[in-house]
Amino acid sequence: MSGKDFRTRLVEEGILIPGGVDGLWGRSGVFERIFDGLDRAITDAGAFARPEVMRFPPAMSQAVFEKSGYMKNFPHFAGTIHCFCGGDAAHHQLLGKMQRGEEWREQQQPSDLVLTPAACYAVYPVLARRGPIATGGHLVDVQSFCFRHEPSPEPTRFQFFRMREFVSIGTHDEVMAFRQDWIERGSAFATSLGLPFEVDVANDPFFGRAGKLMADSQRSQNLKFELLVPVNDDAGPTACISFNYHTTYFGDIWEMRTPDGAPAHTACCAFGMERLVLALLKHHGFDIDSWPSAVRNILHL
Ligand code: ATP
Ligand code: ZN
């Protein structure tokens, strides 16, 4: 079966609904049933640590987005929200352009919203406003729809996808212990779901010429690991969970401090929800009822 075949089958079975643009997908009831099960299973896996739960809309304020530094490293992925703010005359003009098949979007004005590129970005300013991080560190469970402008025919590369993360904020030792623990927990989770995988060092797709250096440096410092599952045939395995250590990058930006006044370190364990659903469909088939009962139990299916 080729990668295209997996995609074709997903579409033919109605599990993925093409949105008319590469990477823009609707999802069926079967897909969402698996998604919901996965969401609950991740909650179960993290319950022992009693994380603080935060849920955010798929957009963040321009101010928070700018301060996060995303445009420095990933300008090619970002999506900004523009809206119509004119009066009757401008509206008339716009409809005319649309009718004539002309470009009408240049009349749209920037709003103060930007599409969220990663779920954990919304967490840091919230914690920073509260004052110093508690002794022992803090753990947040966050989920958000994320946007990345990376159109691709691969069914595992969405432009809009849901990212569920456990985010640790604390001292160097606290967040490094968290990350190591979650590399192990994430691996045990994938094993329990019957997914073949490997964990490997990775880098983010930084933009431009300077990006190459950033990527090399990220790798040589072991800042990012990925849990990779073969999903697309005729292609390398797909990153389904990421384990990131950000050093004091966000602590410095947001002036998040540990109790001794030092900048906080942060790390996150990010689950790519759609990719995990597709990995389960790939390895256990499209008929949920015939999946191994151990897997169905974990997913509450
Ligand atoms: P990749 O290397 O495949 O581009 P990434 O390293 O950019 O992924 P992260 O920034 O670490 O991914 O995002 C966290 C998780 O979100 C990833 O492990 C992955 O499971 C998921 N993810 C990232 N990009 C996409 C996408 N375009 N479509 C679906 N899921 C994604
Ligand atoms: Zn993160």
Side-chain angles (χ1 to χ4, degrees):
M1 199 179 19
S2 72
K4 185 159 176 274
D5 287 340
F6 182 51
R7 179 195 152 110
T8 304
R9 282 182 60 218
L10 288 164
V11 173
E12 280 176 1
E13 297 274 336
I15 292 174
L16 285 184
I17 305 162
V21 173
D22 276 345
L24 185 69
W25 294 106
R27 299 144 337 250
S28 74
V30 167
F31 190 104
E32 289 300 293
R33 240 182 98 198
I34 303 167
F35 179 97
D36 290 343
L38 206 47
D39 216 27
R40 286 177 69 185
I42 293 168
T43 300
D44 295 342
F48 76 97
R50 300 177 162 273
E52 177 185 358
V53 175
M54 295 187 193
R55 296 290 180 261
F56 293 101
M60 58 206 300
S61 80
Q62 180 190 348
V64 167
F65 176 81
E66 276 178 16
K67 210 164 158 177
S68 74
Y70 196 77
M71 286 309 271
K72 208 165 75 190
N73 295 326
F74 311 105
H76 51 315
F77 286 161
T80 51
I81 298 182
H82 288 63
C83 301
F84 176 75
C85 306
D88 282 333
H91 183 216
H92 187 73
Q93 224 177 17
L94 181 151
L95 291 180
K97 283 184 187 169
M98 218 180 224
Q99 209 168 22
R100 293 188 296 275
E102 293 168 14
E103 184 54 79
W104 55 274
R105 291 168 299 180
E106 41 198 42
Q107 269 182 246
Q108 298 286 93
Q109 298 291 319
S111 71
D112 46 13
L113 296 174
V114 180
L115 294 169
T116 299
C120 66
Y121 279 43
V123 169
Y124 308 120
V126 175
L127 290 190
R129 279 199 297 273
R130 291 182 188 165
I133 302 299
T135 304
H138 194 67
L139 185 69
V140 175
D141 161 350
V142 64
Q143 200 237 56
S144 174
F145 245 110
C146 295
F147 172 83
R148 293 184 189 175
H149 186 239
E150 48 176 356
S152 162
E154 271 181 15
T156 49
R157 200 168 286 284
F158 289 60
Q159 293 205 59
F160 279 97
F161 57 97
R162 286 160 290 184
M163 200 187 289
R164 173 94 183 262
E165 301 193 51
F166 292 115
V167 187
S168 169
I169 306 99
T171 63
H172 168 271
D173 290 358
E174 284 159 0
V175 311
M176 288 304 270
F178 157 87
R179 190 177 68 154
Q180 188 52 41
D181 186 38
W182 273 96
I183 289 177
E184 284 154 30
R185 286 177 189 279
S187 302
F189 187 65
T191 301
S192 71
L193 292 178
L195 298 175
F197 68 90
E198 58 185 338
V199 174
D200 203 358
V201 68
N203 62 267
D204 286 310
F206 293 98
F207 179 76
R209 247 183 302 160
K212 173 87 177 76
L213 292 174
M214 301 281 290
D216 290 346
S217 155
Q218 191 183 30
R219 271 180 181 269
S220 66
Q221 295 179 73
N222 285 339
L223 297 182
K224 184 182 186 82
F225 289 90
E226 286 176 343
L227 186 144
L228 302 146
V229 183
V231 183
N232 295 304
D233 298 286
D234 308 328
T238 301
C240 292
I241 313 177
S242 300
F243 312 94
N244 305 304
Y245 169 47
H246 315 117
T247 69
T248 58
Y249 180 82
F250 293 112
D252 290 328
I253 286 178
W254 293 107
E255 297 183 20
M256 276 187 298
R257 308 261 174 223
T258 50
D260 62 0
H265 294 245
T266 62
C268 63
C269 168
F271 297 83
M273 300 298 289
E274 282 76 6
R275 287 185 175 179
L276 284 165
V277 172
L278 292 177
L280 287 161
L281 286 162
K282 171 76 178 194
H283 292 283
H284 300 310
F286 289 6
D287 176 15
I288 300 178
D289 296 335
S290 70
W291 286 11
S293 58
V295 173
R296 278 187 289 135
N297 284 341
I298 290 165
L299 297 173
H300 303 271
L301 290 171

